[in-house]
Amino acid sequence: MRVFRTQNELQLFNQELAQAGKELGFVATMGALHAGHMSLLHQAQAENQATIVSIFVNPTQFNNSEDLEKYPIRTDEDLALLKKEGATAVFLPSVSEVYGNKVEADDLDLIGLDKGMEGEFRPGHFPGVAAVVRRLFELIKPQRAYFGEKDFQQLLIVKHMAKVYQLPVEVIGCETERYASGLAMSSRNFRLSPDGLASADIIYKQMIWARENYQDYSPGDLKAAIVDNFENSDLELEYIEFADANSMKMVSDWEQHSAVRVFIAAYCEGVRLIDNIALY
Ligand code: PAF
């Protein structure tokens, strides 16, 4: 497995791939890799002759400096795992390699995709994500890039960003990997105790309950019922929202939307977890 840290190394790698007629599949990560990331890598491997994974904890997407400081760093374990799984290359850039001396997000219109949920509770998060993914796409020049649906709002924003800047990359959304309990795989789970891991499965259970019962409720009443259910749990609910799966607009009437997803953010043992699934 090749390990690159600079733009120049990537340029040579790209030339090599072009000469060999190989296409490059890319998985962007902030490290602390788990089976969810590996499933993105496996899809990239199935659809491309070469794969690259970036590990870069992006400072511009953390609105909370404590969250950035606490983000788990496990580079040695990550590299060993990627080598075992057969990634062709890893990109481990410094902050200045990605941003030069201007460590800030671009002024990109996110056309309302960032209005609710993560955009509301983490101001500045999505401009930071769009900025770093743009730079990574420009540096790495992949034919295809793979993003998990666990961060569904992020997936739509990355697709929008690539379209606006006309970047020649196909952005592909991949289903969320889950434990048997239903809990979504996440780097943040590394910070949970076994008890925390067990109680966190309420997030998935409540989303499934919403999918099975939404037709009997208005969006407002369904929300209120889920808020109540969280009150009797070990988790502290931050939000529960129903949003249109294409525009991310909040849903106040099921009839007016052809595809809706439920989105939840909740704190478990002080760790912020998010998840979402399609209601219909
Ligand atoms: O989903 C993530 O891990 C990050 O937001 C990403 C896409 C790697 C950008 O820093």
Side-chain angles (χ1 to χ4, degrees):
M1 188 176 69
R2 322 257 298 263
V3 179
F4 302 128
R5 292 176 195 275
T6 66
Q7 198 163 335
N8 289 348
E9 289 169 316
L10 286 174
Q11 224 163 20
L12 292 174
F13 181 53
N14 267 304
Q15 284 166 8
E16 233 177 76
L17 293 177
Q19 273 160 14
K22 290 184 177 173
E23 291 188 315
L24 183 59
F26 169 46
V27 179
T29 83
M30 298 203 297
L33 302 178
H34 50 72
H37 295 114
M38 291 310 111
S39 80
L40 300 179
L41 174 62
H42 295 154
Q43 189 164 338
Q45 288 170 323
E47 297 176 0
N48 304 272
Q49 297 76 45
T51 51
I52 185 163
V53 177
S54 63
I55 299 178
F56 179 65
V57 180
N58 172 33
T60 67
Q61 72 185 75
F62 288 86
N63 58 318
N64 174 337
S65 57
E66 199 188 326
D67 205 22
L68 171 61
E69 276 155 30
K70 281 198 192 153
Y71 206 84
I73 306 280
R74 302 158 52 101
T75 311
D76 291 346
E77 292 94 325
D78 290 347
L79 291 176
L81 183 59
L82 290 171
K83 192 167 170 194
K84 177 168 128 307
E85 296 292 327
T88 315
V90 179
F91 184 44
L92 278 178
S94 63
V95 172
S96 63
E97 198 64 28
V98 173
Y99 283 103
N101 52 16
K102 196 166 163 250
V103 188
E104 54 188 57
D106 310 312
D107 193 13
L108 170 67
D109 181 3
L110 298 177
I111 59 166
L113 293 168
D114 60 330
K115 278 283 164 287
M117 291 119 32
E118 293 307 280
E120 182 183 342
F121 283 88
R122 301 181 69 191
H125 172 66
F126 285 128
V129 169
V132 76
V133 177
R134 175 188 182 183
R135 283 165 180 74
L136 291 170
F137 282 177
E138 288 171 348
L139 291 167
I140 293 171
K141 298 186 174 51
Q143 274 70 38
R144 297 183 192 82
Y146 299 82
F147 289 83
E149 287 187 343
K150 178 173 160 293
D151 297 298
F152 195 86
Q153 211 176 354
Q154 163 171 288
L155 169 64
L156 294 193
I157 284 168
V158 168
K159 283 186 176 172
H160 166 72
M161 179 279 296
K163 200 166 140 194
V164 171
Y165 293 120
Q166 297 182 309
L167 302 179
V169 52
E170 186 186 349
V171 176
I172 298 168
C174 307
E175 257 183 51
T176 303
E177 284 292 304
R178 299 182 180 283
Y179 297 102
S181 68
L183 176 66
M185 306 250 174
S186 164
S187 303
R188 291 165 186 257
N189 295 344
F190 288 120
R191 288 165 52 199
L192 296 178
S193 73
D195 281 352
L197 279 172
S199 43
D201 67 5
I202 181 178
I203 297 175
Y204 186 66
K205 290 199 174 113
Q206 288 300 306
M207 293 194 304
I208 292 292
W209 183 79
R211 176 190 280 171
E212 285 167 356
N213 294 286
Y214 77 91
Q215 280 160 321
D216 300 334
Y217 291 82
S218 69
D221 288 348
L222 189 57
K223 219 168 155 173
I226 292 176
V227 169
D228 267 0
N229 293 341
F230 268 91
E231 263 158 27
N232 304 316
S233 79
D234 294 333
L235 271 67
E236 192 189 324
L237 183 65
E238 184 169 65
Y239 64 72
I240 147 88
E241 294 290 359
F242 307 109
D244 185 292
N246 298 306
S247 66
M248 293 288 102
K249 289 211 168 82
M250 296 303 143
V251 169
S252 53
D253 179 354
W254 305 126
E255 310 274 285
Q256 283 174 18
H257 302 268
S258 59
V260 171
R261 298 183 78 90
V262 51
F263 293 80
I264 288 183
Y267 283 89
C268 179
E269 298 179 331
V271 179
R272 189 172 183 278
L273 303 175
I274 63 169
D275 203 351
N276 72 94
I277 60 168
L279 280 194
Y280 61 90

